[in-house]
Amino acid sequence: MSTGVENGAGQPSPPQPPAFPALYPTTPPRPVHRPAAREPIAARSPQERPAEWTPAPPTVPPPPAAPPPAAPPAAASPFLARHPEPPRPGTPPQQAPQQQAWTRSEPEPPAVPEPFAVPVPPARRPRTAAGRTASALCLVLGLGLFTGAATGALINHDPAAVGTTQGAYARAGDLWHSVPVDTLLPPVVSRPGAGPGGADRTYTRIGVAPAAGCAGAFDPLLAKVLAPVGCVQVLRATYVDATSSRVTTVGLLVTGGDAAGMSALNHRWNSEHLGSRLDLMPHPVAFPGTAAASFGDAQRASWTVSVSATLPVVVYAVSGFADGRPVPEPQPAAAATAPGATSAPAQAGLGTDVLVLAADLDARLRKAVTTDPASSQGAS
């Protein structure tokens, strides 16, 4: 039986599919209601923005799940405990890496060579005013001692330097009558460079006193000091300088004492500083009609007395002004020639006159004593 419908050609029409209900509605959909226009989202404040426009907070991944608990270790086999498995060839035994705590290593500073140890000098104590005063005093005393030593060496020479012998000691006691007076006290004494600043000094003899004993030659106190060595003869002469403004009497006392007595007297004279005492000044000798006509005790300005320690002689000299003016404050020659001296004798050069004439007499005396008598007689 044919269920189809034949077409006009006489052939049957293909079968039609059965009718199924419609899957989709055939009626048009109801138009959707259009909402009112809204203001831009960006113009709204965060509180007015809808919830769908609020950004969601960032998602944080959940913490990892804890690892499952390790299974309990299997019971060790008694056989494996007695016979452990040897390591496989080519596979080194695995060792768990040792974790070391990380520490920050500071670089060591380079070694500095130790410098050479220099000993530190002891700290000097600061000098006080008293110390400076003591230093200045020592300097002044040292200069004074040096000046005194030089003056003593000029007048009273070392016995070793002059070669003193017993024969020379005896000849010195006979000089007053064995040597001409002009040899010891010449008419003119010239000493180049002997004055202050290297100035030349020239003195002319005014007169020679006649040889006499010691009576009246010295002040009583000076005569008493010289008495232990005795007195044989006194030689004296007075000189005037080139300007005729200063006069000086120079003398030689020949004693009768022995060498021990002269040494003791020299020690006492120097140790007790008798040469600076005003009451132990020698007397001058005045000559009428000359520049020394008024040269008396009141005119004495400077003096020196030298007691020999090796010969029986005492050399002395005393000076003053030629115009006869009195000098109220005489000064020893050592003080009058000291640096910075401002006294009247020092300013006038009277101390220098005394030292120059006494040194000249002492030098002539030593030359006469050390000269061989035989050679001097042959020469004469």
Side-chain angles (χ1 to χ4, degrees):
M1 170 175 163
S2 171
T3 60
V5 179
E6 296 180 1
N7 56 13
Q11 296 181 356
S13 299
Q16 296 293 332
F20 295 96
L23 297 177
Y24 300 96
T26 57
T27 59
R30 182 180 295 179
V32 179
H33 177 71
R34 182 181 301 273
R38 298 179 181 179
E39 59 183 354
I41 300 301
R44 300 181 184 179
S45 60
Q47 292 79 5
E48 298 176 353
R49 292 178 185 177
E52 63 270 12
W53 292 100
T54 304
T59 59
V60 179
S77 173
F79 177 79
L80 293 178
R82 292 192 303 268
H83 305 281
E85 182 181 3
R88 298 180 182 181
T91 303
Q94 298 293 333
Q95 296 181 358
Q98 297 180 358
Q99 295 183 358
Q100 298 181 356
W102 182 81
T103 58
R104 181 178 179 182
S105 60
E106 295 292 341
E108 296 183 359
V112 179
E114 183 179 359
F116 178 75
V118 179
V120 180
R124 296 183 59 183
R125 296 171 57 186
R127 297 184 63 183
T128 61
R132 290 191 293 269
T133 303
S135 300
L137 181 60
C138 292
L139 178 61
V140 173
L141 292 178
L143 291 176
L145 292 175
F146 177 79
T147 304
T151 304
L154 183 65
I155 299 177
N156 189 18
H157 296 269
D158 188 353
V162 300
T164 304
T165 60
Q166 292 183 356
Y169 191 90
R171 287 195 297 271
D174 297 334
L175 286 178
W176 64 275
H177 61 81
S178 62
V179 175
V181 66
D182 290 347
T183 301
L184 299 178
L185 302 170
V188 178
V189 175
S190 180
R191 299 295 293 268
D200 299 340
R201 290 289 186 174
T202 302
Y203 304 92
T204 303
R205 189 179 67 189
I206 295 177
V208 178
C214 297
F218 306 102
D219 284 341
L221 187 57
L222 180 56
K224 182 178 179 181
V225 173
L226 300 176
V229 294
C231 177
V232 175
Q233 193 60 259
V234 177
L235 302 179
R236 295 171 295 178
T238 300
Y239 290 82
V240 63
D241 73 317
T243 62
S244 299
S245 60
R246 304 183 304 272
V247 290
T248 304
T249 295
V250 58
L252 173 65
L253 166 64
V254 181
T255 71
D258 55 7
M262 292 302 301
S263 178
L265 179 60
N266 172 271
H267 176 73
R268 181 192 177 189
W269 187 268
N270 295 324
S271 62
E272 297 181 11
H273 306 285
L274 301 181
S276 60
R277 291 181 53 167
L278 295 177
D279 53 356
L280 296 179
M281 283 192 296
H283 286 307
V285 177
F287 291 90
T290 64
S294 58
F295 190 21
D297 290 347
Q299 286 72 37
R300 293 178 295 185
S302 185
W303 78 99
T304 183
V305 177
S306 174
V307 179
S308 176
T310 57
L311 295 175
V313 294
V314 175
V315 176
Y316 66 91
V318 58
S319 63
F321 292 101
D323 57 3
R325 76 183 74 170
V327 180
E329 296 181 0
Q331 192 173 25
T337 57
T342 59
S343 62
Q347 295 292 332
L350 294 170
T352 303
D353 296 338
V354 165
L355 293 181
V356 170
L357 288 173
D360 182 80
L361 175 58
D362 183 79
R364 294 176 183 276
L365 172 67
R366 290 185 297 106
K367 182 179 180 181
V369 169
T370 56
T371 301
D372 187 4
S375 60
S376 61
Q377 290 178 2
S380 59

